[in-house]
Amino acid sequence: MNGTSTELAAPPPGARPEVARPEVARPDPALAAELGALRVGPAVLATGAATGPLAGTATVVKDLFDVAGVPIAAGNPDWLATHPVPERHAWAVQRWVDAGATVVGVSHSDELAFSLSGTNVHYGTPANPRAADRIPGGSSSGSASAVAGGLVDYALATDTGGSTRVPASYCGIFGIRTTLGRVPLEGAVALAPRFDAVGVLARDGATLERATLPLLAGSDAQAPAPAPRGLVLAEDVLALADPEVAAAVADAARQLASALSLDFSTTELAPDRLADWRAAFMARQMPDIWATHGEWVTSTRPSFGPGVTTRMADASGANPALGAAADEARAEVLAALDRALSAGSVLAFASASGPAPRVDLDAASKGALRGRTIAMTCIAGLGGLPAVSLPLAEVDGLPVGLCIVGRPGDDELLLAIARAVDIRWSADT
């Protein structure tokens, strides 16, 4: 359903003429209902500027980001009931609005972003347009569903332990976790602030770059993106994935390097430390989550789904002193990256340990899958690294993401690779 243009009156003499506002394509309400991706909308919640790199486009934002005048639930009705309606936009939302984006919805999130599945006992599970019987992935489930289903071309997300990269992989779309701290999280509900980063999901690489650049600090005077030079496949990290996923991703990595004329090589990033890195990530994440939300959980006693209930209980008993191991792990991650990557090169492995699991997967199997996936996704979290999931592989007709990771600040390099990817994407595939 398209909006209608309005005829503007002539400006008075000497006044600066108004810029005609591009017409914004409004999302189809029937499609929105079919996807179940939005908690609020589709409706115009914030009108984008008339000019800018995103002028004339529509987007949705994850149910963690403040949108002025719109109650935010963070995936939980008790949060919705106990927090005031925001009076201003979150920093990232305002940045997009200033760049021309019109916000037309608030997309579903897992509860407090504390999950990777995309299921929500309160608000339901958004559709995975690539596989109706599979989960969309979380915690940016609604944003991924809205993009993969064609409701919008790009959407705002977050990524702590993979919450942008995993749904991008499951739904067969592009997604970036930005370098820690490059995009301010002011006005967004935190989970574990030492790992939380802004993410963007998009239907193609060019759109991912177009939507992300306005968010990156200093992007008003953006230097040309560096030319990608090499791709290094981390075979020990890739081995954490299902064997068929590892094979498909390795093949996709070789094909990508060939298509973009990148030097291709393999490495063992840290074969004896990957399990310790995951443990260090969890040792820091869990007490940070309790420090962020413990007071509210204790005073409000909110109703959580079973998985979040268990994990929040674990967080409440976590020993903050053990989090110091994450500092050592971070230094190891950065040193390993320096050893593996020359200038202009990126690391590659799978975005998730398997394709999207079935909606009815039992809790034990879901937990095992989550654990193996976090062992891969935590590398970017520990290092504060930018990472992009590219929808370049499939297993039994299900999408699997190829994850490329750069050093801190290499966001533009990763985006340049995403833009260069020549892939036909369709919501019907």
Side-chain angles (χ1 to χ4, degrees):
M1 180 170 60
N2 293 326
T4 57
S5 59
T6 302
E7 186 174 340
L8 301 176
R16 178 180 296 176
E18 294 189 35
V19 177
R21 186 177 301 278
E23 186 176 25
V24 177
R26 305 294 175 84
D28 180 0
L31 177 58
E34 179 183 343
L35 293 172
L38 304 183
R39 187 182 64 81
V40 180
V44 174
L45 306 179
T47 302
T51 60
L54 301 177
T57 66
T59 190
V60 298
V61 303
K62 186 176 181 178
D63 193 12
L64 298 180
F65 291 91
D66 286 350
V67 178
V70 180
I72 297 302
N76 184 278
D78 292 314
W79 185 278
L80 181 70
T82 56
H83 287 79
V85 177
E87 297 180 354
R88 65 184 68 178
H89 299 324
W91 189 95
V93 174
Q94 186 64 60
R95 187 77 168 184
W96 265 1
V97 169
D98 291 344
T102 292
V103 178
V104 295
V106 173
S107 54
H108 285 303
S109 168
D110 289 15
E111 296 179 88
L112 304 184
F114 201 2
S115 178
L116 287 176
S117 68
T119 58
N120 189 306
V121 298
H122 308 290
Y123 297 116
T125 302
N128 182 338
R130 289 295 301 271
D133 60 344
R134 306 275 172 154
I135 64 174
S139 61
S140 306
S141 56
S143 289
S145 179
V147 171
L151 191 68
V152 292
D153 288 340
Y154 64 98
L156 195 60
T158 63
D159 191 305
T160 301
S163 289
T164 295
R165 293 162 285 162
V166 172
S169 181
Y170 287 176
C171 293
I173 56 178
F174 291 73
I176 183 171
R177 168 200 163 89
T178 57
T179 294
L180 183 71
R182 278 205 72 180
V183 184
L185 275 161
E186 177 187 344
V189 178
L191 179 63
R194 299 182 210 224
F195 301 132
D196 295 346
V198 169
V200 178
L201 292 154
R203 61 174 294 158
D204 56 59
T207 301
L208 185 71
E209 183 182 53
R210 179 186 178 193
T212 305
L213 287 180
L215 297 175
L216 299 177
S219 62
D220 287 338
Q222 189 67 45
R229 295 181 182 178
L231 189 147
V232 182
L233 185 66
E235 293 185 319
D236 55 334
V237 183
L238 188 59
L240 296 168
D242 295 341
E244 59 273 23
V245 169
V249 168
D251 186 57
R254 291 184 178 91
Q255 291 187 45
L256 176 62
S258 176
L260 302 186
S261 299
L262 304 178
D263 293 333
F264 178 81
S265 61
T266 63
T267 191
E268 296 285 314
L269 188 68
D272 298 326
R273 292 293 294 162
L274 297 181
D276 294 326
W277 287 358
R278 177 187 177 277
F281 176 82
M282 298 302 294
R284 172 59 56 76
Q285 182 194 42
M286 298 302 268
D288 278 10
I289 290 171
W290 190 250
T292 301
H293 293 301
E295 182 177 347
W296 177 76
V297 170
T298 301
S299 62
T300 305
R301 306 182 72 84
S303 173
F304 289 131
V308 176
T309 296
T310 299
R311 289 191 290 279
M312 193 63 76
D314 291 342
S316 70
N319 182 357
L322 298 179
D327 298 329
E328 179 182 352
R330 172 182 168 80
E332 290 180 355
V333 167
L334 294 176
L337 233 63
D338 281 341
R339 290 192 299 270
L341 302 181
S342 57
S345 293
V346 298
L347 198 69
F349 46 85
S351 300
S353 60
R358 299 178 68 90
V359 173
D360 58 0
L361 184 70
D362 64 272
S365 298
K366 188 184 293 185
L369 178 68
R370 171 186 169 87
R372 288 192 295 121
T373 293
I374 289 178
M376 294 187 289
T377 59
C378 76
I379 294 172
L382 284 168
L385 310 174
V388 166
S389 182
L390 305 171
L392 297 181
E394 285 191 353
V395 171
D396 296 330
L398 297 172
V400 174
L402 166 64
C403 185
I404 53 174
V405 177
R407 293 187 178 90
D410 273 351
D411 307 65
E412 290 86 354
L413 174 65
L414 300 180
L415 291 168
I417 293 175
R419 171 172 39 84
V421 169
D422 184 19
I423 180 172
R424 275 189 85 172
W425 184 94
S426 169
D428 297 324
T429 58

